[in-house]
Amino acid sequence: MLTTKTTKPKPAYALGDISVLYAAVLLRAAAAEGADAAGLAHRFRLDAQTLESAEARISIPHYMRLGHATITETGNRALGLRMGALSRPVDAGLAGLAGECAASAGVGLSTLIRYALLTSQNSRGLPEVQSAARKAVFYSIRPYNDYNCFVVDSVLAAWTQFLRTLTGDYGVLEKVQIEYPSQGMDELYESWFRCPVQFDAAENSLVVKADTWQQAPRQAQPAMHGAMVRQCEQQLQQVQRGWTLQQQVQYCLTPLFQGETPALGTVAAKLGLTPWTLQRRLAAEGIKYKDLVDNTRQQLAADYLRETRLSLAEVSWLLGFANPAAFHKAYKRWFLVSPGEHRKWLTGRGQASRGPDRGQI
């Protein structure tokens, strides 16, 4: 099933979805690495019409499985770097085109990242730019495994390539930090990024050189940049207006769960509200905060078990439970079956008709 709505109040999956523009880049990288890109596209039900649509979305788990299948076929664990090298500003949609004509590379990168929500809605959070430090930070997708390391690589590499495209220079970074541990390819990464790369770091980020940050892009056109930013802003407001307060709270909750239950005050601060105001507005919609936390966990639990290879202990932590036993008890309350048995059904007998690559567009 293909989703083509431009304003989506809620993703098809609790874990989020992204534009097929990113899948198209992945398939270009697959072809460049000698893989059967057409075969992969068919296997993951990505026809030409879908790949050419500026509005089509696919679930993030589906995208991660496509990347894993490509890495398995090519044997290239650094596939994300190849994806970055083949990315273009237009692959980030209107935000990429707006950033390309900004007055400086720093403003261009900031534009690209500010409007990331137009092409990627991820329940783990949004990337951000810290302008004073000339730093771009990619949200955490821990715990890491064979299905998501390439995502970090592809995002950081695409941002780097974006700066290279804007400036015409290759040495645009001071340093790169990557959360997951070294995979034994440190020299390759430092050669590609042309700067020191720290693995097992506290965040996924890159720091841009001062002169690069200030440099005017080759396509700089302030008037056009302003016009396109206004379009981006209008689209962003349309997306966010489509969210109910419950959905806004759920969006804030997911990245905060990690090992604990977020307090109402923490979520209220994220939304720019006082705890009392948030509680009152939720009550006006007929829902209690604790019930919303429980409902959010339930939605995520099913997606994590069906769409990822995370262990039950990892899922328990990502849902903010104190321990796996508490998660197990809650899961049986939600689904009347243990999480282990439910996963077997979801990924085996209950999903057999969908083949080895589960998930949908």
Side-chain angles (χ1 to χ4, degrees), residues 292-313:
L292 188 52
V293 169
D294 193 63
N295 293 340
T296 304
R297 279 174 163 157
Q298 181 177 353
Q299 292 173 23
L300 288 167
D303 264 8
Y304 279 133
L305 263 63
R306 179 181 56 238
E307 304 296 343
T308 77
R309 304 300 188 270
L310 298 171
S311 70
L312 296 183

Side-chain angles (χ1 to χ4, degrees), residues 5 22-23 34 50 114 121 132 152 172 186-187 209 217 238 252 258 261 293 303 336 338 347 356:
K5 294 183 289 183
Y22 299 111
T50 299
R114 169 171 170 72
Q121 183 169 328
V152 174
V172 295
D186 298 26
E187 290 186 5
K209 288 182 176 179
Q238 288 175 356
C252 290
Q258 304 184 1
T261 301
V293 169
D303 264 8
L336 304 180
S338 71
T347 61

